[in-house]
Amino acid sequence: PFNHMPNTYHMEPSDPCYEVCQRLVRDMTQYGVCVLDNFLGREKGLLVRNEVLNMYRQGIFSAGQLVSNPKSKDSQTVRSDLITWIDGKEPYCYYIKQLITQVDNIVLRANKMAHNGKMGDYFINGRTKAMVACYPGLGSHYVKHVDNPNKDGRCITAIYYLNLDWDVEKCGGLLRVFPEGTDQVADIAPIFDRMLFFWSDRRNPHEVQPAYSTRYAITLWYFDSQEREIALKKYKEEHAALLQQYSQRK
Ligand SMILES: Cn1c(O)c(C(=O)NCC(=O)O)c(=O)c2ccccc21
Ligand SMILES: [Mn+2]
């Protein structure tokens, strides 16, 4: 979806997104994580938040995974995250689509302006749909994991948080990142209008700690063109082999 961007992209320092893109390149290169606060500004942030709340009220979110709570004897299940995937063309996602376009522009420009024309040695040429996630409180959480442990093509995770007046002491829901190669952890509160980027691979295991208020976020995963191409090829070969086996069954 990026062909609308001219290839030879030259960024004017006057361009408002210039310093944001510089920040992104610098932080990703140095830490592999980048936090940008007041990303859209309050007014636009609230418009995006309202769209997500309306989606939730309309029951558009599919039932999240049920995590049976091993600790409780009555095997009560703690409902975990609720998610829905959108491409932004849906009628009720006008402002979410604007957010997505804004993030696309920044990631693309950052990728192009990085020293050797690539950020983190990736060439970004696509992304997933947007995953809108809701943790319905009640201790719902997400266990420690790596987004892309096996080279499925995703190189950058981009998360936009929508939670007004979020107090981690009261509400929990902290994102804890365990950057590879250090004992230091990065604790990121899912506060309103905060944009977060991090490398999707094994460099950044992370967990969502139990949330006690409703916690909303919108996630985009950006693809490295080469890694994605190889992953798709492998996927097609595995698929063909499975069909072959199946068609030969007695
Ligand atoms: C709901 N949710 C997630 O919240 C995260 C995740 O890491 N979130 C980090 C965060 O919200 O701060 C995920 O990585 C994830 C992956 C697949 C399906 C659902 C998922
Ligand atoms: Mn994750």
Side-chain angles (χ1 to χ4, degrees):
F2 290 138
N3 41 32
H4 66 283
M5 288 287 280
N7 251 335
T8 52
Y9 195 86
H10 177 69
M11 174 90 70
E12 286 304 322
S14 58
D15 186 312
C17 129
Y18 186 77
E19 58 273 4
V20 166
C21 296
Q22 265 203 326
R23 257 293 298 287
L24 181 58
V25 171
R26 191 199 63 199
D27 287 2
M28 291 304 280
T29 308
Q30 215 166 352
Y31 312 108
V33 181
C34 173
V35 177
L36 300 174
D37 278 322
N38 307 310
F39 184 67
L40 292 181
R42 186 169 178 77
E43 193 181 337
K44 278 202 170 168
L46 288 171
L47 290 168
V48 173
R49 181 177 180 276
N50 285 335
E51 282 184 345
V52 171
L53 265 60
N54 288 334
M55 285 165 64
Y56 186 60
R57 289 183 190 120
Q58 284 157 22
I60 290 179
F61 284 74
S62 56
Q65 32 171 319
L66 277 173
V67 180
S68 62
N69 195 339
K71 297 183 197 71
S72 71
K73 52 201 176 313
D74 60 349
S75 75
Q76 154 245 1
T77 54
V78 177
R79 174 167 292 291
S80 184
D81 56 293
L82 297 152
I83 64 171
T84 185
W85 292 90
I86 56 161
D87 60 17
K89 296 191 191 74
E90 297 83 351
Y92 45 81
C93 299
Y94 176 75
Y95 293 107
I96 296 173
K97 177 61 191 161
Q98 288 202 345
L99 164 72
I100 294 171
T101 306
Q102 177 86 345
V103 182
D104 284 352
N105 286 339
I106 286 176
V107 168
L108 250 187
R109 289 176 180 177
N111 193 209
K112 287 194 177 358
M113 79 191 251
H115 41 277
N116 57 359
K118 307 182 183 181
M119 177 167 46
D121 212 22
Y122 295 118
F123 182 72
I124 295 167
N125 73 335
R127 62 163 162 76
T128 64
K129 286 184 173 184
M131 180 183 79
V132 187
C134 167
Y135 288 82
L138 305 173
S140 49
H141 59 283
Y142 208 94
V143 296
K144 187 174 175 180
H145 66 283
V146 169
D147 283 353
N148 173 17
N150 308 313
K151 292 199 174 305
D152 65 23
R154 292 178 291 166
C155 62
I156 292 183
T157 303
I159 308 179
Y160 182 70
Y161 295 111
L162 296 150
N163 308 295
L164 282 171
D165 314 320
W166 188 271
D167 169 8
V168 172
E169 299 304 308
K170 260 190 327 106
C171 312
L174 190 71
L175 170 71
R176 173 160 288 181
V177 185
F178 305 80
E180 194 183 41
T182 160
D183 290 343
Q184 291 285 325
V185 295
D187 283 348
I188 294 147
I191 62 170
F192 175 73
D193 203 21
R194 168 169 282 181
M195 191 73 218
L196 166 70
F197 299 88
F198 56 86
W199 298 132
S200 310
D201 63 13
R202 294 167 188 261
R203 284 172 284 184
N204 289 313
H206 54 283
E207 67 185 11
V208 178
Q209 296 184 343
Y212 299 98
S213 292
T214 317
R215 180 191 190 276
Y216 297 100
I218 300 173
T219 302
L220 295 162
W221 281 280
Y222 288 87
F223 291 129
D224 167 64
S225 56
Q226 202 178 26
E227 184 180 312
R228 184 62 178 165
E229 194 181 322
I230 295 167
L232 287 176
K233 211 158 68 63
K234 236 178 71 189
Y235 172 79
K236 280 198 185 89
E237 283 157 7
E238 283 160 7
H239 189 62
L242 274 173
L243 288 180
Q244 185 72 9
Q245 279 171 17
Y246 185 73
S247 63
Q248 281 163 350
R249 82 195 187 293
K250 298 294 163 270

